[in-house]
Amino acid sequence: VKSTRKITSAMKMVAASKLRRAQEQAEQSRPYAQRMSRMLNALAGNLVITESTPRLLAGTGGDKTVLILVMTSDRGLCGGFNGSIVREARRLIKQMEAEGKTVKLLCVGRKGRDLLRRDHASKIVYAVEDVAKKFSGFNAADHITSEIMKLFEAGQFDVMHILFNRFQSAISQVVTLKQLVPVQAEKVETASAEATAVYEFEPDEETILAELLPRNLAMQIYGALLESAAGEQGARMAAMDNATRNAGDMINKLTLNYNRTRQAVITKELIEIISGAEAV
């Protein structure tokens, strides 16, 4: 138990050191992603959907086939971080199938793939493991986006959602579900200052959207990767802290039990010696 406590304590310190950097990256990516969403809303909020409108915005015209990108970690020992995502994914699958929809899964992370493969192996169309090792920086999101675009262009799905843990604090992660395809463009409020601005587009709105929409998809996935990485380290730090405390409590209980047993053995031997001396 003492050896285990040393391991969990070391893992807690490593997770704490990684958490700070991961948290900074996640927080720094949020303004960029939010600004890109605002810009796309300004471009697409009042755009009239035509045949030439990019499919990432207009959609395929249906919603019968749904792709869910399930984002988990590659390693365990992080509490309920992966379990909460898998439970929500299973609930969504059950709900969507009850509505008559076909569900497909794209798994990012070994834990999510292994847990979902038990019941929904036939639904997994693609899986990515060891994202942090195989890719650096934005390359991971770019790779995942390219695979999603291949599936979308091949007509493999109509709607895509991403399911991930949004980092809130070192001990709190929020399970978040967001629709990425087709883009849910919000109507620009006429009362806002940005809505009253005059925009000039070159060459035109649809051409700009055709270029920006894939970039926005990659950026949203990249932001989710950073949020998930920060949440994983926070969950692991909290889990290892609890494990270290539990190991300490167990050591105290075992030490007390050991001392009581040792004292009982010594008392028994003394009684035997004294009884033998009196008999003589």
Side-chain angles (χ1 to χ4, degrees), residues 175-243:
V175 177
T176 304
L177 180 69
K178 182 187 296 185
Q179 179 176 320
L180 298 184
V181 179
V183 175
Q184 290 182 316
E186 301 174 0
K187 292 294 182 182
V188 179
E189 297 294 337
T190 55
S192 65
E194 188 172 354
T196 58
V198 178
Y199 289 91
E200 292 184 1
F201 303 102
E202 179 63 33
D204 54 65
E205 295 96 325
E206 294 176 353
T207 304
I208 294 174
L209 285 173
E211 181 69 22
L212 287 181
L213 288 171
R215 294 188 184 183
N216 175 66
L217 178 60
M219 186 61 210
Q220 298 301 328
I221 293 175
Y222 180 59
L225 285 171
L226 295 179
E227 295 282 350
S228 181
E232 177 189 353
Q233 298 303 329
R236 180 169 290 112
M237 184 183 72
M240 291 300 99
D241 181 60
N242 291 333

Side-chain angles (χ1 to χ4, degrees), residues 98-245:
E99 296 173 356
K101 298 179 180 179
T102 302
V103 180
K104 297 182 180 181
L105 301 175
L106 193 155
C107 299
V108 177
R110 184 182 299 110
K111 289 298 179 180
R113 182 207 62 185
D114 292 345
L115 291 173
L116 290 172
R117 190 166 54 183
R118 299 175 184 176
D119 303 324
H120 307 286
S122 60
K123 297 181 177 66
I124 300 176
V125 296
Y126 189 75
V128 183
E129 301 177 16
D130 297 327
V131 173
K133 294 180 180 179
K134 294 180 180 179
F135 305 96
S136 59
F138 190 75
N139 293 333
D142 196 31
H143 172 74
I144 296 171
T145 302
S146 64
E147 295 298 329
I148 293 173
M149 291 302 299
K150 290 178 183 177
L151 293 172
F152 186 62
E153 291 171 358
Q156 295 294 315
F157 65 90
D158 300 315
V159 181
M160 177 205 155
H161 299 273
I162 183 171
L163 183 64
F164 66 100
N165 273 311
R166 181 178 176 84
F167 177 81
Q168 189 170 19
S169 66
I171 58 174
S172 176
Q173 299 82 37
V174 180
V175 177
T176 304
L177 180 69
K178 182 187 296 185
Q179 179 176 320
L180 298 184
V181 179
V183 175
Q184 290 182 316
E186 301 174 0
K187 292 294 182 182
V188 179
E189 297 294 337
T190 55
S192 65
E194 188 172 354
T196 58
V198 178
Y199 289 91
E200 292 184 1
F201 303 102
E202 179 63 33
D204 54 65
E205 295 96 325
E206 294 176 353
T207 304
I208 294 174
L209 285 173
E211 181 69 22
L212 287 181
L213 288 171
R215 294 188 184 183
N216 175 66
L217 178 60
M219 186 61 210
Q220 298 301 328
I221 293 175
Y222 180 59
L225 285 171
L226 295 179
E227 295 282 350
S228 181
E232 177 189 353
Q233 298 303 329
R236 180 169 290 112
M237 184 183 72
M240 291 300 99
D241 181 60
N242 291 333
T244 302
R245 294 175 184 271

Side-chain angles (χ1 to χ4, degrees), residues 66 68 92-101 103 161:
V66 181
I68 303 177
L92 287 172
I93 292 171
K94 185 177 180 181
Q95 176 185 336
M96 291 179 179
E97 287 183 341
E99 296 173 356
K101 298 179 180 179
V103 180
H161 299 273

